[in-house]
Structures are given as C-alpha cells and as structure tokens.
C-alpha cells in the first residue's frame, strides 16, 4: 500500500501570507497526485490534478509541484476564503489520501 | 451542471447492513468511473472503492474488502454501495465522487451512516 504523509498537520497563518504544504509518498507515484480543499460541513473540492495542473475555476494563487515522492501545494497569497483543510491524494496504485493539513487564522 | 446526490444513510446496529445510493445527473454517467469515499467524524478522508464505467471491475480498500460492494445501474444513472457486517468504526459521512483520469472532480454532499446499538 502507498502511504501519504502531509506536513504540517496544521498551521496558523495570516491573510496575504504565502503558504506551502508538503506531501510525501512512501514510494514513487510519478505525478499521479491531486490536492483537495475541504471546508467544515462541505464536500472536498478538487484544486490540482497530475501534481501541477490547476482544475478549471480554481484561482491561480494555488499551484502544485513535485514528482516521484515529494510534492507541494502553494498558496501564493492567502485570502480569507482559503482557511480550510487541504488533502493530498495519490492515484498511482489505487487511491490514498494524506491525513490533511488544517490552515487556520493566526 | 454535474450533480451527485447521496441517499440511504442512517442509524444501523453493529452487524447490520445498509445500502447507499448516489444519483447522478448533468453528465453521461455511463462513461465515467465512480468512487466512494468516507470521512469519520472529525477525521480525514478515506478512499473506499472504485467501479469502472460498465460496472465490470471494482477495487476496494482492505478495511472494507469482503464487507462492502460497489455497483452501478447505468440505465438509472445510479451508483450503489452495499455495506454489510457494519462496525462502529464504519460511522462516517459517505461521499460518492466522479473520476476524471484518476482525480475526483465532482463530489456529492454526503450521507451520514451511524453504526451504534
């Protein structure tokens, strides 16, 4: 089974800050990685697919990078609507989510 | 507009069964793989199962293999999850999601399953 580990588990930050979340896979997954945003009481929303491709309608302040076993999600300038929990997911072999990163207001 | 609506959740006793449904609209359901994902209260997301477009191939996470069965009715644009031998740890919100080249591009609003005596 492929395990996905996100860091940090939570971070406190401010509007306008640059935010970087890391996701590591237990083995190479090439670029078969997605990022999702979830707000309380809502379903997840796809942000990034194939590690670096922005889903239609997602603001350009979100970006993804990486390949193999290490990946990052970057929010270039945090906006109030971005406070949420973010999950990575591999889909190289079956599907596995990371444990999530909660982005909170400082 | 793509729409996925889950139903069938509720309270069930340990060892019991439940069948979830996901009604799809706004796209050609029969051409997409579909998934079930769950989220226990206050916890993260867990992928459960995937079915291919014609329903002939299924995959499961180990924790539900042999207890849960995914199926679909393309004539009715509906996805199902039959859940048997339910345990307290199966308590969660269950989401259906559409597959777009592996990623889940559309999700339903979820249905809550509570396993308790």
């Amino acid at each position: 089974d492929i395990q996905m580990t996100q860091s940090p588990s939570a971070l406190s930050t401010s509007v306008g800050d640059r935010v970087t979340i890391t996701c590591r896979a237990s083995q190479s997954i090439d670029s078969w990685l997605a990022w999702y945003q979830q707000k309380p009481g809502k379903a997840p929303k796809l942000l990034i697919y194939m590690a670096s491709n922005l889903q239609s309608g997602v603001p350009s302040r979100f970006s993804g990078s990486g390949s193999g076993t290490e990946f990052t999600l970057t929010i270039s300038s945090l906006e109030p609507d971005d406070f949420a929990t973010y999950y990575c997911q591999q889909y190289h072999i079956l599907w596995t989510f990371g444990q999530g990163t909660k982005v909170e207001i400082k | 507009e793509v729409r996925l609506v889950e139903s069938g959740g509720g309270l069930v006793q340990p060892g019991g069964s439940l069948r979830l449904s996901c009604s799809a609209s706004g796209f050609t359901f029969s051409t997409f793989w579909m998934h079930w994902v769950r989220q226990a209260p206050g916890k993260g997301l867990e992928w459960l199962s995937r079915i291919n477009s014609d329903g002939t191939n299924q995959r499961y996470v180990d924790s539900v293999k042999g207890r849960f069965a995914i199926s679909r009715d393309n004539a009715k644009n509906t996805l199902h999850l039959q859940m048997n031998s339910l345990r307290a740890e199966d308590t969660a919100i269950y989401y259906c999601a559409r597959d777009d080249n592996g990623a889940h591009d559309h999700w339903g609003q979820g249905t809550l399953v509570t396993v308790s005596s």
Side-chain angles (χ1 to χ4, degrees):
Chain A
D1 295 5
I2 299 178
Q3 311 302 320
M4 305 300 292
T5 304
Q6 288 181 233
S7 59
S9 296
L11 65 98
S12 295
T13 186
S14 302
V15 172
D17 284 354
R18 181 182 182 89
V19 170
T20 299
I21 299 169
T22 298
C23 179
R24 288 187 174 87
S26 58
Q27 65 186 75
S28 176
I29 58 170
D30 296 330
S31 295
W32 300 104
L33 185 102
W35 290 97
Y36 300 86
Q37 176 194 65
Q38 187 180 32
K39 296 180 180 179
K42 300 294 187 182
K45 173 188 174 183
L46 177 64
L47 299 176
I48 302 282
Y49 62 94
M50 285 304 290
S52 61
N53 292 275
L54 198 65
Q55 176 69 356
S56 175
V58 174
S60 59
R61 63 182 180 275
F62 291 92
S63 64
S65 64
S67 66
T69 61
E70 188 150 340
F71 302 85
T72 59
L73 173 70
T74 300
I75 310 171
S76 59
S77 179
L78 204 68
E79 296 204 0
D81 191 50
D82 301 336
F83 291 97
T85 301
Y86 294 84
Y87 295 91
C88 63
Q89 179 200 41
Q90 71 80 21
Y91 48 102
H92 178 54
I93 298 175
L94 297 182
W95 288 261
T96 315
F97 289 96
Q99 81 278 15
T101 295
K102 188 173 183 179
V103 176
E104 301 172 302
I105 300 173
K106 185 183 289 184
Chain B
E1 177 197 1
V2 172
R3 194 154 184 249
L4 299 170
V5 180
E6 300 93 339
S7 60
L11 176 64
V12 60
Q13 292 189 337
S17 297
L18 213 53
R19 189 192 196 206
L20 305 184
S21 297
C22 170
S23 178
S25 60
F27 66 103
T28 307
F29 179 71
S30 61
T31 64
F32 284 85
W33 291 11
M34 297 293 295
H35 298 259
W36 287 99
V37 175
R38 71 182 177 186
Q39 186 168 37
K43 302 298 184 182
L45 301 169
E46 180 183 24
W47 174 81
L48 297 179
S49 183
R50 175 236 84 195
I51 189 167
N52 68 345
S53 55
D54 65 5
T56 59
N57 187 273
Q58 304 84 22
R59 291 288 184 267
Y60 301 93
V61 70
D62 285 348
S63 60
V64 306
K65 209 173 288 184
R67 299 190 300 126
F68 290 10
I70 191 172
S71 62
R72 63 192 298 159
D73 184 339
N74 284 343
K76 295 183 178 179
N77 292 340
T78 304
L79 175 72
H80 298 289
L81 185 68
Q82 177 67 43
M83 304 187 297
N84 300 326
S85 303
L86 283 163
R87 308 164 179 165
E89 55 265 34
D90 295 318
T91 294
I93 296 172
Y94 286 72
Y95 296 100
C96 63
R98 191 179 80 166
D99 184 291
D100 183 14
N101 293 306
H104 304 337
D105 68 338
H106 287 90
W107 298 63
Q109 85 290 347
T111 187
L112 177 63
V113 172
T114 303
V115 184
S116 175
S117 55

